Amino acid sequence: MKSVDLVVIGAGPAGLMCAWKAASLSRSRVLVLEKNSKPGKKLLVAGSGRCNLTNSAPLETFFRSYGDSGRFVRPCLQNFPPSDLREFFESRGLPLEKLNGGKMFPRSGKSSDVLRVLLSACSAENAEIALSERVVSIVRAPGGFIVSTDKAEYGASCVAITTGGSSWPVTGSTGDGFALAAALGHSIVPPRPALAPVFPARYDCASCAGYALEGVHASLWKNGRKAGERRGDALFTHDGLSGPLILDFSRDFAPGDEIRLDLGSLSAHDRPQGESGPRCMDSLLADLCARFPKRTFANAVSSGLALSEALVKVVFSRAGADPSRTGAVLSKAERKAIASVLAEFSFTIERIGDFSVAMATAGGVDVSEANPKTMESRIVPGLHFAGEVLDVDGDTGGFNLQFAFSSGVLAAESAARILASATS
Ligand SMILES: Cc1cc2nc3c(=O)[nH]c(=O)nc-3n(C[C@H](O)[C@H](O)[C@H](O)COP(=O)(O)OP(=O)(O)OC[C@H]3O[C@@H](n4cnc5c(N)ncnc54)[C@H](O)[C@@H]3O)c2cc1C
């Protein structure tokens, strides 16, 4: 049986960063076990192959971007903040650039360059990567662990589980880490899709597919009660809703919930903040009627509210109004009906995209059982976690990869300390 100091399970961004850092700190023998025949499969598809690896937002924004796990991620992001990540890549010849929303990408526009830098950093520190080796069990043993794959057994003083979540299973993230952690006594918060599109019941916006609402206000309603609100960019697809607003919000969604989009709230409109709702929309429409009495009212609404004609058609159909009538002949009741559809353009969620389309996994190893300052298990000394295997999921915009990298570094630093104290 081969023995090493640290076994890292999974060659994704968290695992590779962890392997590089541990090897560079302790000069210890680090072995990464990856079940795929190639490392970093999910990293390669991140950001549509361009890899949005972090964000230029201040740390406070980061802390707010991980839902309920905001407190847990603090020490790890403070220890290895986005500025250190940028320095890591730029000092290795991969300049980054900032695009819309503070999203940071490699200037080359290629995820493969991000992976190349990680692999060469590992290789420079002699961290070994064994491919096509699927870890099937981790057992505690005197002085550490025995890690078994489908091919061999390895002895290790420390182990880091960096197997990712369950989303996009074709990339290798099939939830193995949850079973491995559970077998060692860890609680697993039931995994569910996050950053997923939603599919409403009786979807009537297929004609709007590809159309994006920029900076729209959305509210979430559960059993008739408001359960949250957000603003961002939403996208109509052939069969549902997507775009950053919907993806980020999706961790709070459940079938049967209602999403209401305020179509009068787009960032393109220069209405004072706080002015919304059917009544306010009605006075806006009355104004449009007066300004454009001879245009069809659908046309006036489309240009007055900067909405596509296809979407306005759906609005009129929901309101039971005739889109070919002019503002001059529109009845007050019709106008009010149109106003209320516009202010509360509502969808009832039938289902949320499953793991095959979700970009992240909510749930995973319960963070109350990991030390946020070390990423070490509070149950099994020497066992560490990093990345999406933990119950941490961030918004779109580079927050998930930053957490994978930062938690990988923190786990490595802790493992290196343990290894150093064992030899001293
Ligand atoms: C389409 C898509 C686009 C995305 N775009 C972005 C983006 O632009 N920005 C962003 O911040 N986030 C993005 N994400 C999310 C981001 O990619 C993940 O959060 C991140 O990859 C998680 O890193 P990880 O190292 O924890 O896990 P993963 O990247 O999932 O890596 C885990 C690795 O462990 C291996 N593994 C699993 N089980 C075993 C086992 N039993 N034995 C050995 N190896 C095993 C897997 O094969 C895999 O290689 C995207 C996700 C998807 C699906």
Side-chain angles (χ1 to χ4, degrees):
M1 182 171 68
K2 180 173 175 175
S3 280
V4 296
D5 298 309
L6 170 66
V7 161
V8 178
I9 307 172
L16 294 173
M17 193 55 114
C18 177
W20 160 74
K21 187 69 186 181
S24 70
L25 281 177
S26 57
R27 300 263 150 226
S28 43
R29 292 160 304 157
V30 177
L31 173 65
V32 184
L33 297 171
E34 166 57 52
K35 73 175 176 189
N36 287 331
S37 57
K38 289 185 176 158
K41 259 191 156 180
K42 189 177 280 179
L43 187 63
L44 289 176
V45 297
S48 305
R50 294 184 309 144
C51 196
N52 171 203
L53 74 181
T54 187
N55 198 285
S56 66
L59 269 183
E60 282 305 322
T61 305
F62 271 80
F63 302 150
R64 285 196 299 272
S65 304
Y66 299 90
D68 295 341
S69 305
R71 270 175 72 101
F72 178 80
V73 302
R74 259 174 192 264
C76 138
L77 292 174
Q78 278 162 339
N79 179 63
F80 188 74
S83 52
D84 285 15
L85 184 69
R86 297 210 292 266
E87 153 73 15
F88 173 87
F89 284 106
E90 296 198 323
S91 66
R92 287 169 175 79
L94 188 65
L96 306 185
E97 67 176 351
K98 181 163 80 173
L99 297 183
N100 60 326
K103 294 178 191 166
M104 303 292 304
F105 292 84
R107 198 179 294 157
S108 67
K110 289 186 193 157
S111 296
S112 53
D113 286 338
V114 174
L115 181 59
R116 181 179 45 76
V117 169
L118 285 167
L119 292 174
S120 73
C122 285
S123 152
E125 299 297 342
N126 296 317
E128 193 187 334
I129 302 174
L131 299 170
S132 304
E133 285 219 43
R134 174 168 174 257
V135 172
V136 292
S137 77
I138 309 167
V139 178
R140 294 173 78 167
F145 304 87
I146 294 174
V147 179
S148 304
T149 72
D150 47 4
K151 291 195 177 138
E153 281 190 347
Y154 301 92
S157 309
C158 288
V159 167
I161 300 183
T162 60
T163 44
S166 297
S167 62
W168 275 55
V170 286
T171 60
S173 324
T174 48
D176 296 12
F178 305 145
L180 295 171
L184 288 165
H186 275 274
S187 317
I188 306 300
V189 176
R192 55 190 197 285
L195 300 186
V198 297
F199 303 98
R202 295 175 300 284
Y203 184 63
D204 55 359
C205 294
S207 58
C208 308
Y211 178 57
L213 297 170
E214 286 177 25
V216 70
H217 178 271
S219 53
L220 172 66
W221 296 74
K222 290 179 185 281
N223 301 317
R225 288 192 168 190
K226 196 186 213 176
E229 54 192 327
R230 276 179 179 247
R231 187 181 281 274
D233 299 349
L235 177 74
F236 294 99
T237 68
H238 288 287
D239 44 10
L241 301 173
S242 188
L245 167 75
I246 298 298
L247 298 176
D248 292 346
F249 216 165
S250 66
R251 68 163 78 88
D252 299 329
F253 294 166
D257 291 352
E258 188 191 346
I259 302 168
R260 292 183 193 166
L261 301 177
D262 178 356
L263 298 181
S265 67
L266 305 198
S267 55
H269 306 158
D270 47 7
R271 289 166 57 197
Q273 274 210 336
E275 277 197 24
S276 60
R279 198 178 302 161
C280 166
M281 179 58 76
D282 188 45
S283 70
L284 204 82
L285 295 189
D287 182 50
L288 285 177
C289 281
R291 272 169 55 209
F292 307 109
K294 293 197 177 135
R295 284 203 202 173
T296 68
F297 194 54
N299 180 277
V301 168
S302 171
S303 45
L305 293 181
L307 297 173
S308 78
E309 284 179 15
L311 181 57
V312 170
K313 255 191 190 166
V314 179
V315 170
F316 273 64
S317 152
R318 287 192 184 191
D322 178 355
S324 64
R325 301 178 68 189
T326 61
V329 299
L330 199 74
S331 74
K332 244 188 180 178
E334 268 180 309
R335 199 187 66 210
K336 275 194 185 333
I338 295 168
S340 90
V341 173
L342 281 166
E344 292 173 349
F345 196 65
S346 141
F347 298 90
T348 302
I349 299 174
E350 185 171 86
R351 73 187 167 86
I352 299 143
D354 62 15
F355 282 125
S356 66
V357 291
M359 292 201 299
T361 303
V365 174
D366 191 330
V367 293
S368 68
E369 295 172 357
N371 182 339
K373 293 186 178 151
T374 60
M375 296 291 140
E376 188 180 10
S377 160
R378 291 190 195 275
I379 297 174
V380 184
L383 177 69
H384 295 77
F385 301 100
E388 218 177 293
V389 71
L390 285 157
D391 179 18
V392 174
D393 59 289
D395 289 347
T396 54
F399 299 100
N400 283 300
L401 282 173
Q402 177 68 53
F403 174 70
F405 291 128
S406 296
S407 55
V409 166
L410 198 53
E413 289 173 353
S414 168
R417 264 195 310 275
I418 293 171
L419 294 169
S421 68
T423 50
S424 64

